[in-house]
Amino acid sequence: KITHYVAVHEDLTRAESLQKKMIQAQKMEAVGTMVGGVAHDFNNMLAGIVGNFYLIRMQHPDDEKLQQRIRTMEEATRHGATLIQQMLTFARKDITDMHTLPLSSFIKEAYKLAAAAMPENIRLDLQMKDVDGVCVKADATQMQQVLLNLITNARHAVQDAMGDAGQGQISIEVDCRLPPEHLLQESPEMISDSGWCCIRCVDNGCGIEADDLEHVFEPFFTTKEVGKGTGLGLAMVYGAVQNHRGLVDIETTPAVGTTVSIWLPKQQAESVVVLGEDDVDVDGGGRLLLLVDDEEGLRKVLAEVLTHNGFTVLEAGDGEQAVKTFSDNHDQVALVLMDVVMPNKGGVVAAQEIRALDAEVPIVFQTGYGEQTQLDAAGSIANSESLQKPVQIHELLSMIMSKISH
């Protein structure tokens, strides 16, 4: 017969929350390792395809039908690069091009793109309150993709709930408000001294079941049938928001609807102007470039592209060959175009040895994926720039001309 007992009570809510976050981080790390390797090889292939498309278009400028077909294939190639970019984003291994820009600019652009593809029986609204002049530090393209993914998910949820009957409703609400206290407590490292702005995507769709809610940010998790969903959308959203030192939360009720809220730190500064993209056909004037890449097919295509634009090209298949070739020709080489990840000797180490031989020669790095430690090392080398494969030809040529003209 028990007459006395001692009970110890402990609130394990925070411990369970931290455990879930740790498990999520481990999943992201494992998938990120896989994605990094895939991205490197895949982006190399895409870069070769992009170069061949460029050469075909330049060789047949008067064939309008061929030009259109090539541009269609170029668009498909860019779509493939975007998929890899999304995978790198949720793994947090991509390269972000962060600028201070008005909050409303990328939201309005994403809204216009989404509205153009919205079915007639779904109403899409944009409501912005007290955000005039509010800026954030963000990668505009990445944040536009975040909004498009949220709207696409909301559209699918509404269609699943209503089919072709009934009126669906999706609202994008933008304002300045503080995140809920529980989010700040769960992520104390995400702080903002200048305040927060909030982007909410609200729908009246089918909602998310409780068993599925804890998995929605996991890569490749989807409740859709085979062929109708990749499971990358919300995983990409999660990774991108983390890259921007923001917070994300989901409120949902099955058969009623879902609200996804994103908070981004405010940034007080002026925006930058994003320039448009046009085809570039330059005159290299016979200047000598050293092209270094271990992928022979890609190297040959890029060499032909550069030769087509009036450059003379020396080739090297790895870092060791690059250093030797540069040493033999350093008085004539106007610029070094260098892959980052290569066998025998990587691009960064080779570039450091080249820099020891010549303190002035411009170096442009190309990488198949955003391995941040290597990019940081590359950034420490004076008079150098980095581009991510598959590099658009106009971007590459513009970069080369800007570096050698200084």
Side-chain angles (χ1 to χ4, degrees):
K1 183 177 180 180
I2 298 175
T3 59
H4 301 78
Y5 68 92
V6 177
V8 178
H9 298 270
E10 183 178 357
D11 185 355
L12 297 178
T13 304
R14 179 168 174 78
E16 290 178 351
S17 174
L18 290 174
Q19 184 183 36
K20 288 181 179 179
K21 290 180 67 175
M22 183 184 70
I23 293 172
Q24 176 75 0
Q26 289 173 336
K27 288 179 180 178
M28 291 297 186
E29 183 179 359
V31 176
T33 301
M34 177 196 72
V35 168
V38 172
H40 179 265
D41 293 340
F42 193 69
N43 281 336
N44 272 339
M45 289 187 288
L46 290 180
I49 294 171
V50 167
N52 276 304
F53 284 156
Y54 171 85
L55 290 171
I56 294 172
R57 284 199 293 105
M58 293 300 103
Q59 291 166 2
H60 302 276
D62 300 325
D63 191 332
E64 294 184 6
K65 190 173 182 180
L66 179 61
Q67 291 281 324
Q68 183 57 44
R69 286 187 175 179
I70 292 298
R71 291 192 182 280
T72 300
M73 289 187 285
E74 285 178 327
E75 184 61 34
T77 303
R78 279 192 288 271
H79 179 63
T82 300
L83 287 176
I84 287 293
Q85 191 68 28
Q86 287 189 13
M87 296 173 73
L88 289 170
T89 298
F90 73 65
R92 299 184 69 186
K93 287 182 175 288
D94 61 331
I95 302 172
T96 52
D97 187 15
M98 305 289 277
H99 296 287
T100 301
L101 68 161
L103 175 65
S104 58
S105 62
F106 62 80
I107 289 178
K108 288 180 178 178
E109 187 66 27
Y111 172 78
K112 287 191 293 185
L113 290 171
M118 195 61 60
E120 293 182 358
N121 66 327
I122 299 179
R123 180 180 176 182
L124 177 63
D125 290 333
L126 175 61
Q127 304 170 19
M128 296 199 292
K129 181 181 179 182
D130 300 329
V131 293
D132 290 341
V134 174
C135 294
V136 293
K137 190 171 185 179
D139 182 319
T141 301
Q142 195 173 103
M143 288 311 300
Q144 284 178 5
Q145 189 64 52
V146 165
L147 289 174
L148 289 173
N149 282 358
L150 291 180
I151 294 171
T152 299
N153 276 5
R155 187 188 72 200
H156 291 163
V158 171
Q159 289 174 326
D160 290 344
M162 300 183 176
D164 296 327
Q167 183 66 40
Q169 177 70 43
I170 301 173
S171 296
I172 303 299
E173 303 171 0
V174 187
D175 55 31
C176 295
R177 67 173 73 182
L178 292 175
E181 191 63 29
H182 74 89
L183 276 186
L184 293 173
Q185 290 178 354
E186 290 174 3
S187 303
E189 73 280 5
M190 302 299 186
I191 58 175
S192 174
D193 297 330
S194 55
W196 297 86
C197 51
C198 181
I199 307 166
R200 304 169 75 226
C201 180
V202 185
D203 69 66
N204 64 343
C206 58
I208 304 172
E209 297 294 334
D211 291 342
D212 296 331
L213 186 57
E214 62 180 292
H215 300 292
V216 293
F217 291 127
E218 295 178 6
F220 307 114
F221 176 80
T222 179
T223 58
K224 298 181 177 67
E225 60 186 86
V226 176
K228 292 194 175 181
T230 63
L232 295 179
L234 286 177
M236 179 269 174
V237 168
Y238 180 86
V241 173
Q242 292 285 307
N243 282 343
H244 288 74
R245 299 197 61 77
L247 302 167
V248 60
D249 192 31
I250 295 182
E251 301 172 87
T252 184
T253 303
V256 175
T258 300
T259 298
V260 182
S261 301
I262 293 171
W263 286 268
L264 298 175
K266 288 184 183 178
Q267 186 86 12
Q268 296 299 328
E270 295 184 0
S271 62
V272 298
V273 178
V274 180
L275 301 176
E277 298 181 354
D278 294 307
D279 283 338
V280 174
D281 199 5
V282 304
D283 182 8
R287 280 170 284 200
L288 184 64
L289 305 183
L290 173 56
L291 173 60
V292 189
D293 202 300
D294 60 307
E295 293 286 339
E296 183 178 5
L298 172 59
R299 191 174 69 245
K300 295 299 182 185
V301 170
L302 285 179
E304 191 172 349
V305 168
L306 295 171
T307 302
H308 171 81
N309 285 275
F311 294 101
T312 304
V313 181
L314 292 174
E315 298 181 35
D318 57 38
E320 289 184 359
Q321 292 180 18
V323 174
K324 183 179 186 307
T325 303
F326 183 83
S327 178
D328 295 339
N329 301 273
H330 70 274
D331 291 337
Q332 292 81 39
V333 174
L335 180 141
V336 179
L337 184 59
M338 178 93 70
D339 190 18
V340 172
V341 180
M342 294 183 294
N344 298 329
K345 186 176 289 182
V348 174
V349 175
Q352 291 169 340
E353 295 183 16
I354 288 173
R355 180 60 71 237
L357 295 171
D358 190 321
E360 302 295 332
V361 63
I363 300 174
V364 176
F365 292 101
Q366 294 188 97
T367 178
Y369 75 104
E371 180 55 56
Q372 197 57 49
T373 54
Q374 292 171 331
L375 293 176
D376 290 343
S380 67
I381 297 175
N383 196 21
S384 69
E385 300 287 346
S386 295
L387 296 172
Q388 185 171 15
K389 298 176 182 177
V391 180
Q392 299 302 310
I393 299 301
H394 71 269
E395 183 181 4
L396 175 61
L397 294 176
S398 296
M399 173 71 74
I400 291 173
M401 293 303 292
S402 69
K403 298 298 288 185
I404 63 179
S405 61
H406 283 88

